[in-house]
Amino acid sequence: MNVFKFGGASVKDAEGVRNLVKVLRTTDEENLVLVVSAMGKMTNAFEEVINFYFSNKNEMGASLTYIHDYHQNILSQLFQNTSHPVYSEVGLLLDQLSSFLKTNKSTKHAFVYDQVVGFGELISTTIVSAYLSEENIKNTWLDVRQCIATNDYYRDAKVDWEVTQERISRTVNRKGITVTQGFLGAEQDNNFTTTLGREGSDYTAAIFAYCLNAENVTIWKDVPGVLNADPRHFSNTQLLNHISYREAIELAFYGASVIHPKTLQPLQRKEIPLYVKSFLNPEGAGTCVGKGVTLDPMVSCFILKKDQVLISLSSLDFSFMMGDNFRDVFNLLHQYQMKVELIQNSAISFSVCVDNKYNNLEPLLTKLRSTFKVTCREGVTLYTVRHSQPNEIKALSQNKTVFLRQENSDTVQLVVAE
């Protein structure tokens, strides 16, 4: 058994769904778990619904209509017969969404987020599964929430591996094709939908591969494989033919967007190879992440993160920054859900570069200012370079204000103002 994951770009329209079928026929895999994301930018569209839900419910209607029309357009191109059951199945899901928005009593943003945004994956897999059947590719649609058990830390839920292993082993047929959703799980006590973090569909694929002892996982993307830099920001990028698990985990940790940070750890534990391939060229070699050489070819790898926040702290009385200070700071960063990207400290100061993902910066700064002298720079850019050459770092720093630089034997990081 193998696991394939198709992201939103691969099923953004009817042609994308048809191409998914071509990929399956090209690869000729018979026993598969097919993990599919929400179509196109639908996650963003559902996020807009959530924003209006909390800010102005009267404006939700247009966003819901857009979601309906987007999927209806894809359905009309894939299924000429408007009495096909898939129309009513998608309609039922949209009705469930509307019902939740009308009856929900919770004011917790993260909870509402997970209950709403998950409909993107439920709708996309319903359409893909129906179209596969239409093309005589027998498959089973599976609600992933029946399998992946999590805690109730909404928007970034933690997997209960023991329960999840038991459920997947019991539920998933190892023969044939199973179509299921990425990104989603369910918390055990009340069975509410949870999400595994943005881009968590890759992680879903790894969870199934681990629990089923799959031979390999393939992530299908609109790029030829893993590149040494994002071509949207860097020129002359190179395809990485092979990456070791360790190196790939390092790249993911620093923010390489092709592979989700959580994806690699369960695969490494069972030495399951991960392939990243192009759904536009399914016969291409792509990139293999697995045992062996660190990088092939051995080139510098560049990772860029925009819109970061650099917070610099020092004690109010110029005393040393000690262990208790660090503990208090990290407790606050955790409390306000700040993802730490970089830390640096001296005797009397402490700097941290964070991602203000949940827009909790102002209350965090208020809390910090009660104990520390605080300097905050928003909108900075974090560059991380693995296996860099001195001339590359010099070129990267040119015409930029460098606020912080950190370097070890393998990695250089720069926090800069562009």
Side-chain angles (χ1 to χ4, degrees):
M1 170 165 277
N2 294 323
V3 179
F4 280 3
K5 180 261 176 173
F6 287 88
S10 63
V11 289
K12 66 181 180 180
D13 51 26
E15 188 54 39
V17 178
R18 294 189 187 101
N19 187 67
L20 184 152
V21 171
K22 293 178 184 176
V23 171
L24 294 184
R25 286 179 171 150
T26 299
T27 56
D28 199 27
E29 297 283 355
E30 295 181 352
N31 303 316
L32 272 178
V33 172
L34 207 60
V35 176
V36 183
S37 300
M39 293 176 149
K41 300 293 185 181
M42 274 295 101
T43 298
N44 293 339
F46 282 98
E47 287 175 344
E48 185 175 87
V49 170
I50 296 161
N51 290 336
F52 283 131
Y53 178 83
F54 283 102
S55 63
N56 186 354
K57 287 187 173 66
N58 293 328
E59 298 294 327
M60 282 196 309
S63 297
L64 290 169
T65 298
Y66 171 73
I67 290 170
H68 172 274
D69 292 349
Y70 183 95
H71 291 106
Q72 198 71 19
N73 180 53
I74 293 174
L75 284 171
S76 66
Q77 294 181 59
L78 294 175
F79 305 93
Q80 302 302 317
N81 180 5
T82 55
S83 63
H84 193 288
V86 70
Y87 284 91
S88 58
E89 291 168 3
V90 171
L92 179 60
L93 289 168
L94 291 171
D95 288 344
Q96 290 172 3
L97 169 61
S98 296
S99 176
F100 171 81
L101 293 169
K102 291 175 183 176
T103 61
N104 169 62
K105 304 299 182 185
S106 175
T107 58
K108 295 181 179 179
H109 186 279
F111 171 78
V112 173
Y113 182 97
D114 281 7
Q115 308 320 301
V116 171
V117 79
F119 279 96
E121 277 72 17
L122 294 169
I123 294 171
S124 69
T125 52
T126 297
I127 294 173
V128 168
S129 176
Y131 187 69
L132 291 180
S133 297
E134 195 79 354
E135 292 293 306
N136 297 315
I137 299 176
K138 187 177 179 182
N139 70 94
T140 302
W141 184 89
L142 171 67
D143 188 335
V144 74
R145 297 171 297 180
Q146 297 175 5
C147 292
I148 296 182
T150 74
N151 64 3
D152 61 356
Y153 193 80
Y154 296 103
R155 294 196 68 175
D156 195 13
K158 304 300 182 290
V159 174
D160 184 321
W161 282 93
E162 184 176 348
V163 175
T164 298
Q165 173 74 72
E166 188 277 328
R167 289 181 179 179
I168 288 178
S169 298
R170 169 169 44 87
T171 305
V172 178
N173 189 342
R174 294 174 181 270
K175 299 293 184 181
I177 295 175
T178 297
V179 178
T180 196
Q181 305 79 39
F183 187 45
L184 308 181
E187 60 100 353
Q188 295 183 67
D189 293 337
N190 298 302
N191 211 36
F192 289 120
T193 303
T194 56
T195 61
L196 306 179
R198 197 69 190 265
E199 306 300 332
S201 295
D202 292 1
Y203 187 34
T204 304
I207 292 168
F208 275 94
Y210 179 90
C211 293
L212 294 168
N213 295 312
E215 290 186 17
N216 58 63
V217 175
T218 302
I219 297 173
W220 296 96
K221 288 186 167 284
D222 55 356
V223 293
V226 179
L227 305 177
N228 72 320
D230 187 334
R232 294 173 297 180
H233 304 293
F234 297 90
S235 57
N236 302 318
T237 57
Q238 290 183 254
L239 176 67
L240 302 174
N241 303 316
H242 187 278
I243 314 173
S244 69
Y245 289 115
R246 180 183 178 85
E247 182 65 23
I249 288 171
E250 291 280 2
L251 292 171
F253 172 79
Y254 288 116
S257 59
V258 176
I259 303 173
H260 191 278
K262 300 175 185 175
T263 300
L264 297 159
Q265 291 159 344
L267 300 179
Q268 183 187 30
R269 287 201 293 270
K270 290 191 175 180
E271 297 184 351
I272 299 171
L274 168 69
Y275 294 92
V276 180
K277 294 188 176 185
S278 169
F279 58 75
L280 301 173
N281 180 25
E283 294 179 320
T287 300
C288 175
V289 180
K291 294 175 65 178
V293 64
T294 299
L295 276 176
D296 173 27
M298 178 55 77
V299 294
S300 301
C301 296
F302 299 83
I303 301 160
L304 176 149
K305 286 190 171 183
K306 289 182 173 291
D307 298 320
Q308 303 295 292
V309 180
L310 181 63
I311 303 172
S312 299
L313 309 172
S314 58
S315 58
L316 294 173
D317 60 0
F318 293 98
S319 60
F320 289 152
M321 293 288 285
M322 305 293 285
D324 288 349
N325 301 129
F326 298 147
R327 180 199 61 202
D328 294 342
V329 170
F330 279 108
N331 283 340
L332 288 171
L333 291 170
H334 176 73
Q335 178 183 338
Y336 290 99
Q337 297 176 290
M338 293 290 177
K339 186 176 185 300
V340 177
E341 306 290 356
L342 172 66
I343 59 173
Q344 189 174 90
N345 68 284
S346 67
I348 60 172
S349 68
F350 176 85
S351 295
V352 58
C353 185
V354 298
D355 187 344
N356 184 26
K357 179 179 179 180
Y358 299 108
N359 296 316
N360 290 328
L361 180 60
E362 288 308 315
L364 169 65
L365 293 177
T366 299
K367 197 74 173 178
L368 288 171
R369 285 178 178 132
S370 66
T371 309
F372 303 99
K373 180 181 177 181
V374 179
T375 301
C376 177
R377 294 182 176 89
E378 298 182 59
V380 298
T381 298
L382 172 64
Y383 287 98
T384 302
V385 188
R386 295 277 294 171
H387 315 293
S388 65
Q389 300 298 318
N391 62 312
E392 294 170 333
I393 300 302
K394 183 178 180 181
L396 206 56
S397 307
Q398 195 169 5
N399 300 323
K400 298 181 179 71
T401 301
V402 179
F403 295 119
L404 189 151
R405 172 176 172 143
Q406 190 160 276
E407 183 173 357
N408 61 34
S409 58
D410 295 316
T411 308
V412 177
Q413 290 188 282
L414 303 172
V415 178
V416 307
E418 297 284 358

